[in-house]
Amino acid sequence: MATVFENIGFNIENEDGAYRLADFVLNSGSILPVENGAYAVWSDKSGAEVWERVALDHNTKSVSLLNIDPHFNGTTVWNLEFSQEFSAERDDMLDCKAFLKNPDNGKGICARVMGHLAAQNLTAGNEYDFQVSMIPHSIAFFESEENMRGALSDENTVIGALTPVGVYMRMMQVEGEECTTDILMTRIAAEIKGGDVRFMIADKTPVGEFLHLVLKTDMGDLDVAVSQNNYETKNLPKLCEGGMVAVVSGIISAKLIKREKTND
């Protein structure tokens, strides 16, 4: 059972494993209470983070799991305007996906904003410092831009540009059947600036490893956490050295660091 949690070192083999991870985060992580629920967040020195959203029933005092997501706590911090929030049919009450844009040039990203209700008054039109990282759903490596374009027959992709490839495409055709899906995906082809292998430890026990890469983008350096399954057959020293090109499709997650400026 391949999951996006492999990108931060958790190898979840089945649904029970996902629930065990959720229990671990709830019991071992920090709790950020909000109205009608809470965020639980577990962090490791490797940069691996897990964010969990839970609802609270005030009548029964019971807690129910809403969702759980991986995040990488890297060094990328961008000053961005909280521009537009997206909602979807399957979003829960604590989830937040938004368009965050650079106030100087208007370029932006579509991102899941981690723990947004626990932040102090995130308001559209205001600027904040966000710690930004990317969790891949797919990734491919190439020796150079020329090799990438030849292998993919791609002459149009702008190197370093973060391109939304599906902001809530609600209706899709799958084998002739209509279905509903909510997609928040970004694609980028970018030069690798460098990288290193991280080892993740949970409850004092070594759990797994993953690759931390830094990509050169038109909005600044971007941290990307990569599953061992996506690099174990590659030339790891060369990947970490930098200069190769990565093509990534995945979810961008953004965590509020501090309030920067108010434009009210």
Side-chain angles (χ1 to χ4, degrees):
M1 177 181 176
T3 73
V4 289
F5 289 95
E6 289 180 353
N7 292 296
I8 57 169
F10 282 105
N11 295 311
I12 298 174
E13 297 180 356
N14 50 45
E15 189 174 347
D16 287 342
Y19 282 110
R20 285 196 297 271
L21 176 59
D23 286 341
F24 168 74
V25 172
L26 190 60
N27 290 305
S28 302
S30 301
I31 304 298
L32 306 176
V34 297
E35 185 178 2
N36 298 323
Y39 299 95
V41 55
W42 175 86
S43 301
D44 178 63
K45 291 181 180 179
S46 65
E49 283 192 358
V50 181
W51 284 74
E52 183 173 336
R53 303 190 296 277
V54 295
L56 172 64
D57 187 318
H58 293 279
N59 294 322
T60 64
K61 306 300 182 184
S62 62
V63 171
S64 57
L65 175 66
L66 297 174
N67 215 324
I68 185 168
D69 299 295
H71 177 71
F72 178 73
N73 186 27
T75 59
T76 295
V77 178
W78 295 343
N79 179 253
L80 300 168
E81 178 187 316
F82 189 81
S83 181
Q84 180 185 358
E85 186 173 345
F86 300 103
S87 61
E89 293 172 357
R90 293 190 288 182
D91 278 357
D92 58 70
M93 64 183 183
L94 300 186
D95 198 9
C96 176
K97 304 179 184 72
F99 181 70
L100 310 173
K101 72 177 181 180
N102 184 311
D104 296 324
N105 57 27
K107 292 180 180 180
I109 56 173
C110 295
R112 169 174 280 120
V113 181
M114 314 305 285
H116 79 294
L117 288 182
Q120 298 279 323
N121 300 318
L122 264 177
T123 305
N126 290 345
E127 297 170 25
Y128 306 85
D129 279 354
F130 289 96
Q131 184 268 313
V132 180
S133 62
M134 192 170 189
I135 304 295
H137 282 227
S138 66
I139 187 167
F141 300 109
F142 301 91
E143 293 287 333
S144 64
E145 177 183 345
E146 182 181 7
N147 288 342
M148 179 212 79
R149 295 195 186 281
L152 301 181
S153 300
D154 181 351
E155 297 298 329
N156 299 318
T157 294
V158 178
I159 297 296
L162 290 154
T163 306
V165 293
V167 182
Y168 295 122
M169 289 173 44
R170 293 180 180 273
M171 308 306 295
M172 297 182 68
Q173 294 292 324
V174 179
E175 295 181 354
E177 296 183 5
E178 192 175 79
C179 66
T180 310
T181 188
D182 301 319
I183 302 172
L184 183 69
M185 197 78 73
T186 296
R187 181 181 185 271
I188 185 169
E191 182 183 343
I192 299 171
K193 185 176 182 178
D196 61 288
V197 175
R198 302 290 178 97
F199 297 92
M200 193 264 287
I201 296 175
D203 201 19
K204 299 182 180 180
T205 302
V207 174
E209 69 177 67
F210 62 95
L211 177 63
H212 162 236
L213 292 177
V214 179
L215 303 188
K216 298 179 181 180
T217 85
D218 59 7
M219 293 185 64
D221 291 346
L222 176 65
D223 293 303
V224 181
V226 182
S227 164
Q228 185 178 9
N229 290 333
N230 285 320
Y231 67 82
E232 60 186 355
T233 62
K234 310 298 181 184
N235 186 331
L236 189 56
K238 191 168 185 178
L239 273 178
C240 294
E241 179 182 300
M244 295 179 65
V245 169
V247 178
V248 191
S249 291
I251 300 292
I252 295 179
S253 55
K255 182 174 65 174
L256 182 68
I257 301 298
K258 67 177 181 178
R259 188 169 184 140
E260 182 69 13
K261 183 173 65 175
T262 300
N263 294 327
D264 291 341

